[in-house]
Amino acid sequence: MKADTALAPGKQRLIDAALRLAAERRGFATLGIRELARAARLNPNTFYRHFDTLEDLALEALAAISGELRPMLRHECWQAARNEPHAAPRLACEAYFAFVLEHRDAFLGALAEYHGASAAMRGAIRRVLADVTTEVADDVGRLQLMPAVPRASVEGVCAQIVAYLFHLSQDYIDAPARREALLDEAERFIVWLCAGAHLLHQQTFAG
Amino acid sequence: MKADTALAPGKQRLIDAALRLAAERRGFATLGIRELARAARLNPNTFYRHFDTLEDLALEALAAISGELRPMLRHECWQAARNEPHAAPRLACEAYFAFVLEHRDAFLGALAEYHGASAAMRGAIRRVLADVTTEVADDVGRLQLMPAVPRASVEGVCAQIVAYLFHLSQDYIDAPARREALLDEAERFIVWLCAGAHLLHQQTFAG
DNA sequence: TGTACATCAGTGAACGCGCGTTCACTGATGTAC
DNA sequence: TGTACATCAGTGAACGCGCGTTCACTGATGTAC
């Protein structure tokens, strides 16, 4: 028995090929099993040794990325917020976007599948975003970054930041020349949103 | 010669069928020409009478929706902002989401293609969003809704609002039970963002 | 007003091709006794 | 330590099917003279 962390080589190659092709073509929807096997230099049949459907493959790939992203974000945010609280938004964005570039193919795939055909896949992506949101909100709470704002609103702010950064990843990947500007934009977005939430919880809102 | 506003019946049926199927399957990517013709009760060949490629069809459908959405938004926003300025965000969101529901299929298609395979389609959708942003920013300027904020920042705020509402459309369509909550969320998002931008332009930001 | 012609939407048969999936197989690695 | 067996990743040939696209056609509508 092998160590259970290592996937069969063919399985890993199929996942890699799927991410690569899905990124090129912006979605798993049009991938074919024969095409995948061809890209992975395997017999078409080998696919069925490891997966029942293409959706299976996509869900497994997503779980792997999520397992890598979340601890990384946690760690980076903590570091940033503890050492330089005022620069935390910027540093967190930088860490996040660096991760995006390192996992370019997976993110392009996930962005496409966010609005994609598979309800299971859409649900899984939303769940990852929700988990990240909860973790970020926990950290914001623990580090007292928004002391005047109640927990529920902190969650709301974090959810909007997470969704915003996720969708912005596509532009960040597609437009290398605008990356600095996008970082500024993301930081400004976060600062505005936090400032607005903070302000409107201090004063009564005569809406 | 017919009036040039009316499409050939087969052409219109192909577009309708494409929107319907693309909405069901979240994307044009997996649509087939024969399948489309079948759904429109036409000979597969008829497709080629009207379009060169599926991308052609999608771009034409998008242009039609955009031409309907933009004047509507313009009109609604003006009305709302002039009559009840403090409720403008809410009323604009309501008008927008009503339009989304009326054009459910087109929006699900556009949401999918926003991250989709066709670069031309992605560009066209972004252009629509950018045009809407400019128009909204114009109106905000003309109606003096954010007098303390410079034009460039108003555009930034509007761009984020437009993108946010666009992506939220999917949840609005998918989760009828949460529609009231989503409206609240959208309004709160806009208010926070505007408040933050306003605040940070009044005081020096010791970032 | 009538006639001849052009344009245009839609039809129907036919093509070759790549697809998903199944079956029976191989060869290597691990395990029981 | 050796042998027999089970498990597992990967192979190769074969199937029937629906696909995109082409061709030559029809029938209705519009236009020139």
Side-chain angles (χ1 to χ4, degrees):
Chain A
M1 204 78 190
K2 294 180 194 168
D4 56 354
T5 54
L7 266 46
K11 187 170 188 177
Q12 188 60 56
R13 267 153 70 198
L14 282 169
I15 291 180
D16 292 344
L19 287 179
R20 186 156 33 86
L21 289 173
E24 260 173 42
R25 302 229 301 269
R26 315 275 170 154
F28 288 85
T30 59
L31 260 44
I33 284 171
R34 287 187 106 102
E35 179 189 25
L36 224 53
R38 218 180 298 125
R41 303 176 169 282
L42 288 167
N43 188 289
N45 236 333
T46 304
F47 178 87
Y48 295 104
R49 295 281 153 218
H50 303 293
F51 309 102
D52 284 337
T53 62
L54 276 167
E55 195 177 64
D56 275 0
L57 186 156
L59 288 170
E60 190 159 334
L62 176 65
I65 295 287
S66 166
E68 214 182 317
L69 170 64
R70 288 166 51 193
M72 183 287 286
L73 269 188
R74 246 207 137 155
H75 179 253
E76 292 295 328
C77 289
W78 262 92
Q79 294 277 55
R82 223 175 18 191
N83 299 343
E84 328 182 46
H86 69 282
R90 179 88 187 185
L91 293 171
C93 288
E94 283 174 0
Y96 170 75
F97 282 130
F99 186 89
V100 168
L101 287 188
E102 269 168 43
H103 300 79
R104 181 184 175 281
D105 289 355
F107 270 84
L108 287 176
L111 282 160
E113 290 306 312
Y114 182 84
H115 296 294
S118 156
M121 194 67 193
R122 292 202 304 273
I125 295 172
R126 268 144 214 268
R127 222 165 301 123
V128 172
L129 295 182
D131 290 345
V132 170
T133 296
T134 306
E135 292 176 358
V136 173
D138 282 351
D139 289 351
V140 169
R142 208 165 316 158
L143 292 163
Q144 306 262 29
L145 294 179
M146 299 177 72
V149 181
R151 168 74 197 204
S153 290
V154 170
E155 287 238 9
V157 169
C158 290
Q160 276 153 354
I161 291 171
V162 167
Y164 176 77
L165 288 179
F166 179 63
H167 287 117
L168 205 62
S169 311
Q170 171 133 305
D171 302 79
Y172 197 83
I173 292 169
D174 282 347
R178 288 184 54 224
R179 283 184 188 153
E180 274 306 311
L182 289 173
L183 256 173
D184 291 345
E185 213 179 271
E187 183 187 9
R188 199 180 55 173
F189 173 82
I190 293 173
V191 169
W192 281 352
L193 199 57
C194 292
H198 192 258
L199 179 71
L200 294 175
H201 276 288
Q202 284 187 316
Q203 63 182 48
T204 305
F205 177 42
Chain B
M1 202 81 189
K2 293 180 195 169
D4 55 354
T5 54
L7 266 44
K11 186 170 189 178
Q12 189 61 56
R13 267 152 72 198
L14 282 168
I15 291 179
D16 292 344
L19 288 179
R20 185 156 35 84
L21 289 172
E24 260 174 41
R25 301 231 300 271
R26 315 274 170 157
F28 289 85
T30 59
L31 260 46
I33 284 172
R34 287 186 106 101
E35 179 189 25
L36 225 52
R38 219 180 297 126
R41 303 178 170 281
L42 287 168
N43 187 287
N45 236 333
T46 304
F47 178 87
Y48 295 103
R49 295 278 154 222
H50 304 293
F51 308 102
D52 284 338
T53 62
L54 276 167
E55 195 177 64
D56 275 359
L57 186 155
L59 288 170
E60 189 160 335
L62 175 65
I65 295 288
S66 166
E68 215 182 316
L69 169 63
R70 288 165 52 194
M72 183 287 284
L73 269 187
R74 265 229 115 133
H75 179 252
E76 291 295 328
C77 288
W78 262 93
Q79 294 278 55
R82 222 174 20 192
N83 298 343
E84 327 182 47
H86 69 283
R90 180 87 188 185
L91 293 171
C93 288
E94 284 174 1
Y96 170 75
F97 283 129
F99 185 89
V100 168
L101 288 187
E102 269 168 44
H103 299 79
R104 181 183 174 283
D105 289 355
F107 270 84
L108 287 176
L111 283 159
E113 290 306 312
Y114 182 85
H115 296 294
S118 155
M121 195 67 193
R122 293 202 303 274
I125 295 171
R126 268 144 214 267
R127 222 165 300 124
V128 172
L129 295 182
D131 290 345
V132 170
T133 297
T134 305
E135 292 176 359
V136 173
D138 282 352
D139 288 352
V140 169
R142 209 165 315 159
L143 292 163
Q144 306 262 29
L145 294 179
M146 299 177 73
V149 181
R151 168 75 196 204
S153 290
V154 170
E155 287 239 9
V157 170
C158 291
Q160 276 153 355
I161 291 171
V162 167
Y164 176 76
L165 288 179
F166 180 63
H167 287 116
L168 205 62
S169 311
Q170 170 134 305
D171 302 79
Y172 198 83
I173 293 170
D174 282 347
R178 288 184 55 226
R179 283 184 189 155
E180 274 305 310
L182 289 174
L183 256 173
D184 292 344
E185 214 178 272
E187 183 187 9
R188 199 179 54 172
F189 173 82
I190 293 173
V191 170
W192 282 352
L193 200 57
C194 292
H198 192 259
L199 180 71
L200 295 175
H201 274 288
Q202 284 187 314
Q203 62 180 50
T204 306
F205 177 40

